[in-house]
Amino acid sequence: MSGHSKWAGIKHKKAAVDAKRGKEFAKLSRAITVAAKEGGGDPEHNAALAQAIQKAKDANMPNDNIERAIKKGSGAGSEAENYLHLTYEGYGPNGVAVFVTVLTDNKNRSAADVRHIFDRAGGKLGTDGSVSWIFERKGVIFVDGNAYNEDDVMMAAIDAGAEDVLSEGGSIEIRTDPSMFMAVREGLEAAGIAYTSAELTMIPKTTVALDENDARKTLRLLDALEDHDDVQEVFANFDIPDHIMESLMS
């Protein structure tokens, strides 16, 4: 699998046992609040809010938390006015491209912290545009290939508007144009097919092969970035052989 698929899988496994669920919910709440502030509190007419809510539900965030976050964003004088959407681009070990999205109320703090994380992990923060060209925005949905017939999943996904369906290692990966992401999710649900994870993400056009040493350093960098309060999403174009990945995850 590509770097995106592996990192998405790692994050999904970690989420199931992550003791930092409170931090995860805080990030999700912030995203919902800002989406509601920018596009209104009705998810039927605010695609960004609808996606933020769905992501929160996928993480088993309580409905009360979601409703509070929407109200924070919809109300006058909302704290969401203080947040900025920022992106940072850089390189990890062996030239791995890393793209980071941030939602922050303090641009200087976030910039200094992200730079420090890159430096500490042996990476280097780059300039705007230095790596963004390597990635494409896509919707990605994972289905357990051991639970469903691949042909059935493919038919349901393509009928709903998916661009591509890939299968490897017992996992089925469905890719969509961002505009069709919600429609494909709904199409799978209508066909009785449950997904293990679904998100709008950045897919790398090319990948960088890593040995065990660089793989360990790269995952340490990505994990440190993900753990920062202001960081919303982290994308990278690494490729780690399955036997090395299994060793690192054991």
Side-chain angles (χ1 to χ4, degrees):
M1 283 189 176
S2 67
H4 161 75
S5 300
K6 284 195 171 75
W7 183 237
I10 291 168
K11 289 192 291 182
H12 181 65
K13 290 177 182 176
K14 285 180 60 182
V17 295
D18 198 347
K20 302 173 184 175
R21 184 56 59 88
K23 177 176 286 189
E24 180 188 8
F25 285 174
K27 290 186 179 186
L28 293 168
S29 292
R30 185 185 299 182
I32 291 171
T33 296
V34 172
K37 178 63 181 179
E38 294 178 346
D42 183 358
E44 292 292 328
H45 299 93
N46 184 346
L49 177 59
Q51 291 163 8
I53 291 172
Q54 189 59 59
K55 191 171 183 179
K57 288 181 176 179
D58 289 344
N60 296 316
M61 185 171 166
N63 287 332
D64 287 348
N65 294 38
I66 294 173
E67 291 300 323
R68 281 198 298 271
I70 294 173
K71 289 178 180 178
K72 279 185 179 180
S74 301
S78 165
E79 65 183 42
E81 294 175 350
N82 301 322
Y83 286 107
L84 298 171
H85 291 279
L86 302 173
T87 60
Y88 295 97
E89 304 175 35
Y91 297 92
N94 202 33
V96 170
V98 182
F99 188 86
V100 185
T101 69
V102 166
L103 203 53
T104 181
D105 59 355
N106 188 321
K107 180 179 180 179
N108 293 333
R109 178 195 65 218
S110 296
D113 288 352
V114 170
R115 183 180 298 277
H116 177 67
I117 292 172
F118 269 94
D119 290 344
R120 187 176 59 189
K124 183 179 180 180
L125 193 63
T127 57
D128 288 346
S130 57
V131 305
S132 58
W133 61 272
I134 295 174
F135 298 90
E136 291 182 296
R137 191 72 170 170
K138 295 290 181 183
V140 175
I141 304 168
F142 284 99
V143 173
D144 184 355
N146 297 314
Y148 298 95
N149 179 274
E150 182 181 344
D151 289 339
D152 292 340
V153 174
M154 181 179 296
M155 183 175 296
I158 296 299
D159 285 348
E163 289 184 340
D164 200 5
V165 179
L166 311 170
S167 180
E168 185 176 346
S171 181
I172 301 173
E173 179 181 350
I174 302 163
R175 296 186 180 182
T176 80
D177 182 85
S179 65
M180 296 301 296
F181 176 62
M182 298 299 287
V184 174
R185 287 179 62 138
E186 293 168 0
L188 291 173
E189 292 170 352
I193 298 171
Y195 48 82
T196 56
S197 68
E199 62 180 342
L200 282 171
T201 187
M202 301 285 276
I203 301 290
K205 301 173 187 175
T206 61
T207 57
V208 176
L210 299 179
D211 59 21
E212 183 168 353
N213 184 52
D214 284 337
R216 193 180 304 276
K217 292 179 181 178
T218 298
L219 296 182
R220 189 179 299 126
L221 166 61
L222 302 185
D223 197 42
L225 288 167
E226 289 271 7
D227 197 47
H228 192 279
D229 289 343
D230 296 340
V231 172
Q232 290 288 307
E233 298 173 300
V234 180
F235 309 104
N237 74 331
F238 65 85
D239 186 22
I240 302 174
D242 289 339
H243 71 279
I244 293 180
M245 182 63 75
E246 289 172 5
S247 174
L248 294 176
M249 294 298 291
S250 62

